[in-house]
Amino acid sequence: MLGGAADPDEIEFMEHNMAAAEPITSLTLRRPDDWHLHLRDGAMLAAVVADTAQHFGRAIVMPNLVPPVVTRADASAYRERILAHCIGYPKFQPLMTLYLTETTDASDVVAAAQAGIIHAVKLYPAGATTNSASGVRDFDKVRPVLDAMAEIGLPLCVHGEVTDPSVDIFDREAVFIDRVLTPLRAAVPDLKVILEHVTTADGVDFVRDAGSNMAATITTHHLFINRNHILAGGIQPHYYCLPVAKRERHRLALVAAATSGARQFFLGTDSAPHLDTDKQSACGCAGIYTAPNTLSCLAHVFEAESALHQLEAFTSLHGAAFYGLPPADDTITLVKRDEALVFPVSRATANGEVTIFDCGVPLYWEVEPRP
Ligand code: NCD
Ligand code: ZN
């Protein structure tokens, strides 16, 4: 079991609920943040942003648009486009990121961070995932940017998969840790690094044992699916994402890490909408759309692990602490209903439907609407 001794809050929570001796049916948490989110642009942005903004306080917004968000000016303009679609949610804060390229200018990154426009830089190994063609091939070329980030405490969000075609797709995260992450940590030890959407026990172990400037985000879907969900009984494009879901033992390691209360692990949904026509194709896109039902899914997982008392740490505390931000000053309440919830199957956009994640089990925990 991860996490070590229970903290005083946890003991208080347990004592309170044991005294009540009733199953928990209502849970109030500081408002969650999503530390890894794809909002896209244009019609897709317009269709999906409310699914996050209605429940979350902040979200780290991924920069893999086409073309990517690479400069301070790009991030600023993208932020404005997002906010233009959040009129009904004035408190929602998109936290912008820059897409690291081999020609990224360190002084532009520092200026963007110091102006409060960006909160992280994203490293995609070139070709690793959706829209990553402009990513990094030669790590020496980005060293000045990484040094500058370490100096100002700006986190690097890492897509942790090698792209070497000779490495099996199910091994790409573990090999990345050996070939890239370990040398990177040794080269720039003061850099804050987040292993995004960790999918393996190897990744969990690495992050848990690393220093205080290393963390990992865990997605909602990787807590539910293993590789059988994608491939057994017919190919399931809506369970295909990158990094691809691994064996069941890896899923169990992720559940243990997320529910453990260990400060290194926090929510990054990686909610990544694609049109159904792009996923249900001979060459389907990677990405799972989880924003609409993520919190209901998470409450289900944490309850099943008898860990509802750790949900707030995972969704609302650890991420903010790692990013050096205060936790939210408001709350949400999740209520356990008697009847299973009914979520829409898909979200409509001007260009077609986007299937919403089906976690495969009935969900009962509902977020109470924002007052
Ligand atoms: C993401 C996307 O669609 O942008 N896809 C995914 O499968 N997770 C990119 C990413 O985070 O890898
Ligand atoms: Zn992502």
Side-chain angles (χ1 to χ4, degrees):
M1 191 61 189
L2 295 158
D7 67 27
D9 283 351
E10 188 181 327
I11 292 165
E12 191 187 311
F13 183 98
M14 289 187 296
E15 281 171 354
H16 172 79
N17 286 294
M18 273 190 267
E22 295 274 331
I24 302 169
T25 54
S26 168
L27 197 58
T28 295
L29 314 173
R30 260 159 288 193
R31 187 173 293 285
D33 301 306
D34 185 348
W35 300 100
H36 181 129
L37 177 67
H38 299 270
L39 285 176
R40 315 302 191 200
D41 215 341
M44 184 67 91
L45 168 64
V48 302
V49 68
D51 283 330
T52 294
Q54 66 175 332
H55 294 149
F56 288 84
R58 295 164 286 200
I60 284 278
V61 180
M62 289 295 127
N64 62 332
L65 305 182
V66 187
V69 178
V70 290
T71 64
R72 171 186 175 174
D74 295 341
S76 213
Y78 184 30
R79 184 167 176 279
E80 291 308 314
R81 297 200 296 281
I82 294 168
L83 289 174
H85 290 290
C86 295
I87 305 294
Y89 308 97
K91 286 193 75 182
F92 176 68
Q93 292 178 49
L95 307 179
M96 310 312 292
T97 59
L98 293 183
Y99 185 119
L100 184 61
T101 73
E102 292 180 359
T103 56
T104 293
D105 172 7
S107 62
D108 185 60
V109 171
V110 171
Q114 287 176 341
I117 293 166
I118 62 158
H119 287 79
V121 171
K122 180 68 189 272
L123 165 66
Y124 290 101
T129 186
T130 308
N131 305 337
S132 62
S134 330
V136 175
R137 288 185 173 77
D138 177 354
F139 283 81
D140 287 342
K141 295 209 172 119
V142 297
R143 185 62 194 274
V145 179
L146 302 182
D147 287 337
M149 290 170 61
E151 214 170 297
I152 60 167
L154 185 67
L156 181 72
C157 297
V158 174
H159 184 108
E161 289 190 289
V162 291
T163 54
D164 179 346
S166 72
V167 177
D168 189 278
I169 191 164
F170 291 102
D171 297 333
R172 287 181 180 189
E173 183 173 293
V175 173
F176 181 89
I177 291 169
D178 291 341
R179 282 195 199 165
V180 182
L181 192 52
T182 302
L184 182 108
R185 298 266 305 145
V188 197
D190 295 334
L191 181 64
K192 281 189 186 181
V193 179
I194 303 161
L195 179 59
E196 298 288 329
H197 38 48
V198 62
T199 58
T200 57
D202 314 62
V204 165
D205 290 347
F206 180 87
V207 169
R208 189 194 46 213
D209 298 338
S212 62
N213 59 358
M214 179 84 224
T217 52
I218 299 179
T219 77
T220 307
H221 48 279
H222 287 115
L223 298 175
F224 283 88
I225 62 168
N226 62 34
R227 63 195 204 173
N228 281 8
H229 290 87
I230 312 166
L231 296 169
I235 191 157
Q236 300 284 333
H238 297 294
Y239 290 141
Y240 174 59
C241 66
L242 288 170
V244 71
K246 309 294 192 300
R247 289 177 180 276
E248 177 65 1
R249 79 175 177 86
H250 295 291
R251 186 189 73 81
L252 293 173
L254 300 176
V255 171
T259 58
S260 69
R263 55 137 202 96
Q264 296 95 326
F265 301 102
F266 45 85
L267 175 64
T269 65
D270 194 19
S271 179
H274 290 277
L275 294 176
D276 286 352
T277 43
D278 292 332
K279 284 193 69 74
Q280 297 165 196
S281 116
C283 183
C285 296
I288 300 180
Y289 186 50
T290 55
N293 56 6
T294 268
L295 292 170
S296 299
C297 287
L298 291 172
H300 174 89
V301 170
F302 277 67
E303 183 181 41
E305 295 298 305
S306 304
L308 279 174
H309 58 288
Q310 300 289 16
L311 185 60
E312 182 182 50
F314 181 69
T315 60
S316 320
L317 302 180
H318 291 163
F322 190 82
Y323 274 85
L325 296 169
D329 58 9
D330 63 340
T331 58
I332 61 161
T333 297
L334 285 145
V335 177
K336 190 169 183 186
R337 305 292 182 202
D338 295 333
E339 306 274 322
L341 307 177
V342 181
F343 286 98
V345 171
S346 65
R347 185 62 73 227
T349 80
N351 299 316
E353 297 290 316
V354 176
T355 290
I356 295 169
F357 177 58
D358 173 2
C359 73
V361 292
L363 295 171
Y364 296 91
W365 287 95
E366 184 169 35
V367 185
E368 289 211 317
R370 229 171 190 169

